[in-house]
Amino acid sequence: MLENVVGREAELDRIGGFFRGEPESLALWLEGAAGIGKTTLWRAGIELGREREYHVLACQPTAAETAFSFAALGDLLRNDVADVLPELPGPQRRALEVALALASSGGPAVGQHLIGLAFLSALQLLAAREPVLVAVDDVQWLDPPSAAVLQFAARRLTTANVKLLVAARLEEDAQPLQLERDLAQNLLRVDVGPLSFGALHRLVLSRLGEPLSRPTLRKVHDVSGGNPFYALEIARFLLERGSTLRPAEPLPVPRTLEELVRVRLDRLPATVRHLLEAAALLAEPTPAALTAAASEPEREAGALDRALAAGLIELEGQRIRFTHPLLAAAVVSGIGPQRRQQLHARLAQIVSDPEERARHLALATEGAEAEIAESLEQAAERAARRGAPAVAAELAELASQRTPTTDHDARWRRLIEAGLRYATAGDLARARALLEPLTNEIPPGPRRAEVLLNLADFRWDDAGAAIELGERALAEVGSDDACRARIHMVLSSRALEAEAGSALGHSRAAYEAAERAADVELTLLALVNLVHVEVCVGEMTPGLLDRALARVSIDGARDARIPHFESPHFVLGLALLGLNRFEEAKALFDRARVDSLEQGVPFAAACADEFLAEVECRLGNWHAAALHASECSELYQQLGTQNQPQQLYATALVDAHLGKLEEARTAAERGAAIATEVGEEFWAIANRRVLGLVELSLDNPARAIEYLRPPARTHIASLWHMPSNCDFLETAIEAFVGVGDLAAAAQLLDGLQERARRIDSPWERAIRARCRGLLRSAQGDHDGARAAFDEALREHEQLNLPFDRGRTLLALGALQRRLKQRRAARVSLEAALAVFEELGARLWAEKARTELKRIAGRTPAGDALTPTERRVAELVAEGHPNKEIAATLFVTVKTVEANLTRIYAKLGIRSRTELARLLVDKSPVPERAQTST
Amino acid sequence: MTYEPYTLCDFVRRMLRTAGRVAGRLGHPA
C-alpha cells in the first residue's frame, strides 16, 4: 500500500509523526480538493496505524442521498459491536442496539446523547485493550446522526489511546464542519496539495504502465493543476487515443473533470453502466443487492466483474465501493430523470431498511401520493425512536409535502410531528416556521391547543408572547387534562418570570389537572414544580412538601419517561435549598447528578454540580465542593459552552473559601460580567458576592463594598428565595459595618428581615443574628451585640454549617477581646480557630490567630507599623481618600490599599472610622524601628 | 409523539436559557 503512494513523502512524514505523538494531537485532518489524493493518504494513514498496532475502526461514507441514519456508525463498529455491547451499561447498550437496528426500536425514543455516550464507552473499552484509530474518509458526507455521535465522543475523549484520522473535501464557501471546530485545539492539519511534475510522471508510469512524453506530461500537469485523479484521467484518455501531441497543440480532452469521467463511463457497455447506476444510488451496495436490482440478471451477470476489472469499483467484504467518489458522482449525474425514477422505484422494492426504502419511494415519483407519504411518516417515526430526531424531522416534513392536499388531518399531523422533531433536535427556529402557520389553518380545539402550547414552550426569550400563546391554548384545550396541566406549567413558569403574580394559581391548576388525567409522571412533575413555586412565593401548603418528598424517593429507580432536564429530584432540591434544608437538598441534587451522568446529559449534571459545590461549601466539605466545581467546569467544557456564569460562580466560591483568592477573583469577575451581559442578575449577584467575600477575607471592606452595592433590581434575584441572595446581603452588611457605614448596614439588615416574612429558617436566623451582632457592636451597643451573637450560636447548635459558625465565633471573640473579657475571648477565638483550621480556611484561621495574639494586651513587635504604614494611617485618619494619599506619598492607589490592609490587620480594626478613633485615643501610632537591610 | 413541551420550573428554564445565551444559541444547550 505505502509503496503505491507517490510524491507524498512530506505528508507521510507528518502522518508518521502524528502516530508518534509529534506533536501530540487527537486528530489528523487531511484536507484538500476533490481528486487531490486525500483517500490515498487516508489509506496510507490506516496502514501506518496498523503497523503501530492500532486497532482500526473505519468508515467511508458516500454522497448517496438515500443514506440512512447511523449508516457510518454501523460501519465504524461493524467488527467490534458484538464484543463491546455486553460490556456497556444497560441504557447505553439498548441505545446502541436501537441506533444500529440490532434491536427493535419499540419503547421510548432513544436520546442522541445516550448513543454518543455508548459510542464513547465503546471506544474507551476498546482503547483499554489496544490503541484505537477511528478513521473517517469524506467526513463531509457522514450521515447527520453519525456525525453527531462522532462529535459527542470526540469532545469527550480523554485517553491518549484513541486517535482520529479524518479526510475532508475542501470546497469553496463551505462552512467548517462542527467536528473540525470542536477539535480545533487538538488537531494536526495536513493540507493535501498538488503533485509535483516529477511525482506525476512516476504516478502515470506506476498506474498506467507507460509514460507520457515530457511535453505532453507538462501540459497534463498544467491542465490538471497537479490534481492526480484529474491527471490520471487525462493520461488514460491520451494513452487510449494513442497519438502524441504536436507542440502547441492543446490537449484534446474535455475541459472539466466530470466531462472527462463521463467520456470514460460512456464507453462502458450498457450492462456495466446500469450496474454502476444502481450501486451509486444504493446506500449500501452489495453484489446480492445489485443482482436483485438488475432487470435482466442473466444478461448482466458479468457486469460486476467487468466493473471491478475496469478499476471503477472495488469489493470490501460484501460491500461495493467506487474507487473514487468522483466516479460515483459522475455516474449519478449521468442518469436521466426518467431512468432515475425507475431505478429508485426498483430499489425501493429490494432494500430492507425502512428509512432507505422511504427515500427511494419518495425519489421515484413527484407530487402528492398517499402511500409514499405514509411510508415517509413511518420512516420518520422509526428514525425518531432510533435517536435521530433531525432525520425524523426531515422525513416527516417530506411526508407532509407528499400528502394529498385533501387529507388535512394527515398533513397537519405530519407537520406537527416535523415541527416537534426539529425542536427535539434543537432547531427551534425551524420548528416555529412549521408550526406557526398551522395556528391559522387548524380549527379551534384540542389539537390547535397542543400546537399553541408547543409554540409557547419554544418562546424562551419572550415571556409575554409565551403567556399569550399559553392563554390561547388554555381557552381551547377542552377536556384533555394532561395537555391542560402542561399549559398551566408553562404559564406558571413564565408568569413567575414576568411577575404576573399568577404563578401559584397556574401551578395549583396544573397539579389538579395532572391528577385528573391520572398521569403519574406528569402529576409528580406538577407537584414538585408547585412546591418550588410555593417556596418562591412564600406560601407553603401544609403537608405538600412532605407528599412530594415521599414520592421522589432517593433510592428508587429513575423514571425513564421523565426527561433529564425535568428531574423532579433537581427541582425539589431547589425547593429545599430555598428552605435552607441543605443536607436534604444535597441528597436530591446528588441523585439528579448521578441520573444525568448515567443518561449522558452533561448539562443537567453540571447544573446539579453547581448547587452541590455551593451546598458542600456550607456544610464544610470543601474538598467535595472543589470536586463538584471542577466536574461542573469539565462538563461545560465538554459541551463547548465554557464561561457559564453559574459554573464560574461555583469555581470562584470554592476558591474563595479555600483562600485561592486570585483564582476566585478571576472567575467571579468574569462570571459577574457575563451574567450581566446576558441579563441574568441572579448569577451576577452570586458572583459579586464571592468578590465581596474575597475582599472581606483580606480585611478590605472598602473594596468589598464596590462589589456589594445593592443591585437596582433586587426582585429578580430574590424571586427564587435562594440562600445565595441571603449570602449577598450578609456579606454586604459585614462590609458596610467594616467601613463604618452603619446606616447602609442597617438598611440591608431590614432586607434580611424582610425575607423572613415569607419563609424563615434556623440558618437565616443565625445569619441575621450575626449581622445584628456586628451592627450593634459597631454602634457601641455591646450587650445587644453579645446577645445577638449568642442567639446566632444557639441556632448553630442545631445546624451543621461550620464556616458560618466559625465566623460567628470570630466576631464574638473579637468583641469579647475589645471588652477585655480575656478568658471568654480566648475560648471563642480558639473555637473559631479550630473550626477554620479543620476547614482549611487559611485566611480566616489567620484572622483568629491575630485576634488571639492581641488578647495578651501587648502588641508584638511584628505588628507595629512601618513608617509608611504610619504615614498612611495618619492621612486616612485625617479623612483623605486613597487617591489623595497616593498622590501625597508618590505611590499607587494599590500600594495605599495594601498598606491599609496591613494596618487593619496589625491594629485589629476593620474600618477607617475605627482607625481614626484609634489614632485619636492612642496617638502616636506605634512605629516599628526600621531595620537596616 | 415523543416530544412533549417542557414542564420546567422557572428556575431551570432560566438556567437553560442563560446557558443558551452564553453559548450564543436560543433554547437549551444540550
Side-chain angles (χ1 to χ4, degrees), chain A residues 113 417 420-421 424 453-454 457-458 460-461 486 489 493 497 525 529 565-566 603 607 610-611 641 643-644 678 680 716 720, chain B:
Chain A
H113 280 286
E417 190 66 18
L420 300 186
R421 300 294 182 206
T424 310
L453 162 62
N454 282 298
D457 182 49
F458 299 161
W460 288 83
D461 266 38
R486 286 181 185 277
M489 279 195 257
S493 94
E497 185 180 332
L525 292 168
N529 282 344
F565 291 124
E566 301 174 307
F603 177 79
C607 288
E610 284 150 28
F611 289 102
T641 64
N643 292 327
Q644 293 285 343
V678 298
E680 277 305 338
I716 294 280
W720 297 300
Chain B
M1 237 182 263
T2 54
Y3 180 92
E4 280 168 340
Y6 287 132
T7 58
L8 305 175
C9 74
D10 183 55
F11 193 90
V12 179
R13 197 176 270 274
R14 296 266 300 235
M15 282 186 78
L16 282 164
R17 199 183 65 185
T18 306
R21 279 183 180 168
V22 173
R25 285 192 290 258
L26 185 64
H28 63 79

Side-chain angles (χ1 to χ4, degrees), chain A residues 784-799:
Chain A
R786 177 69 216 238
F789 289 138
D790 283 346
E791 186 190 332
L793 288 171
R794 269 198 308 281
E795 294 290 355
H796 269 296
E797 280 168 23
Q798 307 302 319
L799 296 165

Side-chain angles (χ1 to χ4, degrees), chain A residues 653-690:
Chain A
L653 185 72
V654 173
D655 283 344
H657 279 80
L658 291 170
K660 292 152 90 176
L661 302 186
E662 270 322 300
E663 288 93 329
R665 252 196 210 121
T666 309
E669 258 163 15
R670 198 173 209 175
I674 292 171
T676 305
E677 196 182 307
V678 298
E680 277 305 338
E681 201 178 4
F682 178 79
W683 295 109
I685 285 175
N687 277 294
R688 279 161 52 200
R689 184 262 168 167
V690 176

Side-chain angles (χ1 to χ4, degrees), chain A residues 761-770 772 783-801 804-806 808-809 812:
Chain A
S761 73
W763 174 68
E764 288 212 17
R765 282 199 293 276
I767 294 292
R768 275 203 307 277
R770 180 170 88 231
R772 206 168 49 242
D783 292 343
R786 177 69 216 238
F789 289 138
D790 283 346
E791 186 190 332
L793 288 171
R794 269 198 308 281
E795 294 290 355
H796 269 296
E797 280 168 23
Q798 307 302 319
L799 296 165
N800 175 28
L801 305 166
D804 280 330
R805 186 169 154 266
T808 310
L809 285 165
L812 172 66

